[in-house]
Amino acid sequence: MIDTHAHIYSDKFKTDIDKILSEAFNNKIKHILMPNIDHTSIDGMLELEEKYPQQCLSMMGLHPCHVNAEFEKELYIVEEWLNKRKFIAVGEMGMDLYWDKTFKEQQIEAFKIQADFAVKHQLPLVIHARDAMTETISLLEEIKTDGLFGVLHCFTGTLEEAKQLIDLGFHLGIGGVATFKNGGLDKVIPHVDIKHLVLETDSPYLAPKPFRGKRNQPEYTNYVCDKVADFYGISGSEVEEITDKNAYKLFSIEEYLSK
């Protein structure tokens, strides 16, 4: 099983990260993909990949909540790293209008620039969209080009939005929200071909039931997998097999590991 989105370099794992990873690897988790946030998260992320080179795989990008008046300096660092070594994806990037709309225009500009990075380096784009799904889809339609593909991480949108994203060449990242009673994904996932899904946790955030409100961790991908299996009326092992295949193809994981 592959956790395609987990911030395991977070300070919330500072005291027990090796234990957390051991539990994950002993409970079906083969790989954990780590989204970058900004320049301050790079060292911790790369140190984890150095320690677990076959399991913990790094992305490079600038999170929309860290886009501000100085965002171009951050993107210069992102570009520098992308030119320096291989990464599994460009991300996490996107739009977040939940906390603050002050830097909306800068977020749009950072989105377009990072999409260009992804196309240039032939990497998937890992998109964060919070209170900004309409804007995100409009942006993707505007910049649509050959070679632009990826995943809308932590997808919580409507069936219509899911179909639009899939038509634009994007997978849907399904996490703990799928297990929430009023998460809304029960009205979406059963109507989407499973070939468009990948699993994730977004650790340490958004823990699935029965851990909701507590620290999330990669091992809990298993709970997401089981819930997705319920939606489709198939076994957890079938969901694991299909979504692993999706993730291997989307992120070119085997090619990355042979770098």
Side-chain angles (χ1 to χ4, degrees):
M1 201 174 301
I2 300 168
D3 182 353
T4 61
H5 200 105
H7 303 270
I8 50 174
Y9 50 77
S10 163
D11 285 347
K12 290 183 171 63
F13 294 112
K14 188 183 288 185
T15 60
D16 62 350
I17 184 59
D18 293 310
K19 176 175 176 288
I20 290 295
L21 291 178
S22 176
E23 289 171 353
F25 303 147
N26 287 327
N27 285 280
K28 299 184 182 179
I29 308 302
K30 296 194 285 276
H31 306 293
I32 302 167
L33 278 50
M34 303 181 292
N36 190 50
I37 297 298
D38 64 8
H39 77 277
T40 66
S41 54
I42 296 172
D43 287 350
M45 178 179 71
L46 295 181
E47 283 168 13
L48 264 183
E49 179 167 11
E50 189 174 351
K51 191 171 184 179
Y52 298 96
Q54 294 297 306
Q55 293 94 3
C56 299
L57 316 180
S58 300
M59 306 182 198
M60 181 50 60
L62 176 63
H63 193 289
C65 289
H66 293 253
V67 170
N68 54 36
E70 305 282 298
F71 80 99
E72 288 169 324
K73 292 180 181 177
E74 287 283 351
L75 288 182
Y76 177 78
I77 295 169
V78 168
E79 184 176 27
E80 205 172 39
W81 273 104
L82 286 168
N83 289 332
K84 192 186 301 185
R85 53 152 282 174
K86 196 165 178 63
F87 287 90
I88 198 78
V90 172
E92 153 183 21
M93 49 71 71
M95 289 195 71
D96 193 311
L97 304 178
Y98 177 79
W99 296 108
D100 189 357
K101 297 180 176 68
T102 306
F103 298 107
K104 180 179 178 181
E105 292 308 312
Q106 288 87 345
Q107 286 191 34
I108 291 171
E109 187 63 23
F111 191 114
K112 292 178 177 179
I113 291 169
Q114 291 183 91
D116 285 344
F117 290 166
V119 173
K120 176 185 175 184
H121 292 277
Q122 299 179 303
L123 292 172
L125 194 63
V126 175
I127 302 176
H128 166 114
R130 191 174 187 192
D131 279 12
M133 190 67 77
T134 300
E135 291 85 350
T136 296
I137 291 172
S138 293
L139 261 175
L140 288 173
E141 288 173 338
E142 178 188 334
I143 63 177
K144 184 179 180 182
T145 183
D146 288 344
L148 183 62
F149 66 102
V151 59
L152 197 297
H153 123 80
C154 192
F155 179 79
T156 57
T158 64
L159 179 58
E160 179 59 30
E161 289 166 340
K163 289 177 177 177
Q164 288 175 293
L165 288 163
I166 290 166
D167 287 346
L168 286 163
F170 282 77
H171 283 63
L172 310 178
I174 305 300
V177 174
T179 70
F180 299 170
K181 185 177 180 182
N182 297 312
L185 289 176
D186 56 316
K187 299 176 181 66
V188 177
I189 291 175
H191 306 289
V192 171
D193 193 317
I194 194 173
K195 72 181 181 181
H196 300 299
L197 305 187
V198 292
L199 305 182
E200 62 167 76
T201 61
D202 201 18
S203 298
Y205 316 107
L206 291 172
K209 286 180 67 179
F211 308 102
R212 190 173 183 180
K214 299 179 180 177
R215 181 183 67 169
N216 202 359
Q217 58 192 64
E219 180 191 352
Y220 298 165
T221 311
N222 284 277
Y223 291 86
V224 178
C225 179
D226 289 344
K227 189 62 183 179
V228 170
D230 288 345
F231 287 143
Y232 286 113
I234 60 179
S235 69
S237 60
E238 287 177 281
V239 171
E240 178 182 356
E241 181 182 350
I242 297 167
T243 56
D244 277 6
K245 183 179 178 183
N246 298 343
Y248 273 109
K249 184 178 180 182
L250 173 63
F251 293 100
S252 299
I253 292 175
E254 290 179 346
E255 180 186 335
Y256 182 81
L257 291 175
S258 65
K259 69 184 188 297

